[in-house]
Amino acid sequence: MQTEAFQLAAHGDEFEARLAVPDDPDGRGVAVMPGAGHGPWGDIFDLLAEDAARDGAYVLRFEGWPTPDDLEAKTLREFQSELVAALERLREAGCTELSVVAKSFGGGVTLTDVPDAVDRAVLWAPATFTLGDTDRLEDALDTPFEELIEPSERRTFAPSRLADVDVPVLVIQGADDRPELVENARGVVDALPDAELVVREGEDHSFRGDDREQAVVEQTLAFLRD
């Protein structure tokens, strides 16, 4: 595996990015969307990049919000456009089958508008933008995230928004996560036309620990290669 460092361009800005290039590529590409409080480097994300590249897939990671202030200043539309830019870069690298692996906040962002280019998605404990009785995303699209933090109802979307997502989705959720996020994961899977839920007993929101991270990555890669 080789790693190419570059600047990912989206909505007029550029972000540090790295592309894991497999020695024997099979045409698959994976774009990574991390959680709000954890960048795309280190821990489970390094493990994912290494194992996926060994498995034949390109893996693109980018740091869209280096600081909490950067995160809070951005809009949902900007988060969405960064994911689209990452997928386009994978396509330019020659990938013909594109997937997203998204954690927590990144999973919530992905669910608000799954790009047409995506063939599969794996969401690790999706959060922040969650299911609700009222769809508020049109109001949220161009609002700085700091203005959406409270009340949480400003970040909800209706289950009907997921009805047209026509790609397989795997949701991996820790059973000991906050109850509302476990319930959200179940609701997301129920609302998606083609989705599977894996609830990992004894684990919380972050899947911390080498054995736990390895197990989550293995489940992820098994789903992406099907």
Side-chain angles (χ1 to χ4, degrees), residues 100-176:
V100 175
V101 175
K103 173 73 172 77
S104 189
F105 175 86
V109 169
T110 301
L111 285 170
T112 64
D113 186 18
V114 179
D116 291 339
V118 171
D119 296 295
R120 283 178 175 268
V122 180
L123 310 177
W124 298 340
T128 308
F129 294 94
T130 54
L131 289 176
D133 295 331
T134 305
D135 195 302
R136 304 291 298 273
L137 293 190
E138 292 306 317
D139 296 334
L141 269 176
D142 296 305
T143 302
F145 180 64
E146 64 181 345
E147 298 180 22
L148 301 177
I149 295 174
E150 295 294 343
S152 61
E153 287 76 12
R154 299 192 67 187
R155 297 180 271 106
T156 60
F157 56 92
S160 58
R161 183 173 285 268
L162 303 181
D164 294 329
V165 177
D166 60 352
V167 299
V169 177
L170 173 65
V171 177
I172 302 178
Q173 176 66 50
D176 294 341

Side-chain angles (χ1 to χ4, degrees), residues 34-119:
H38 190 305
W41 328 121
D43 300 330
I44 196 169
F45 296 109
D46 283 355
L47 185 62
L48 172 69
E50 293 165 4
D51 285 5
R54 192 178 299 116
D55 207 37
Y58 286 79
V59 181
L60 193 155
R61 296 180 283 169
F62 64 95
E63 188 147 45
W65 46 91
T67 71
D69 287 345
D70 293 326
L71 176 78
E72 292 180 3
K74 284 190 173 181
T75 66
L76 176 57
R77 193 185 301 275
E78 289 172 331
F79 294 127
Q80 293 170 343
S81 71
E82 291 163 17
L83 177 57
V84 170
L87 293 165
E88 290 174 350
R89 178 65 180 81
L90 286 167
R91 188 76 77 189
E92 291 170 3
C95 299
T96 56
E97 182 179 329
L98 301 179
S99 301
V100 175
V101 175
K103 173 73 172 77
S104 189
F105 175 86
V109 169
T110 301
L111 285 170
T112 64
D113 186 18
V114 179
D116 291 339
V118 171
D119 296 295

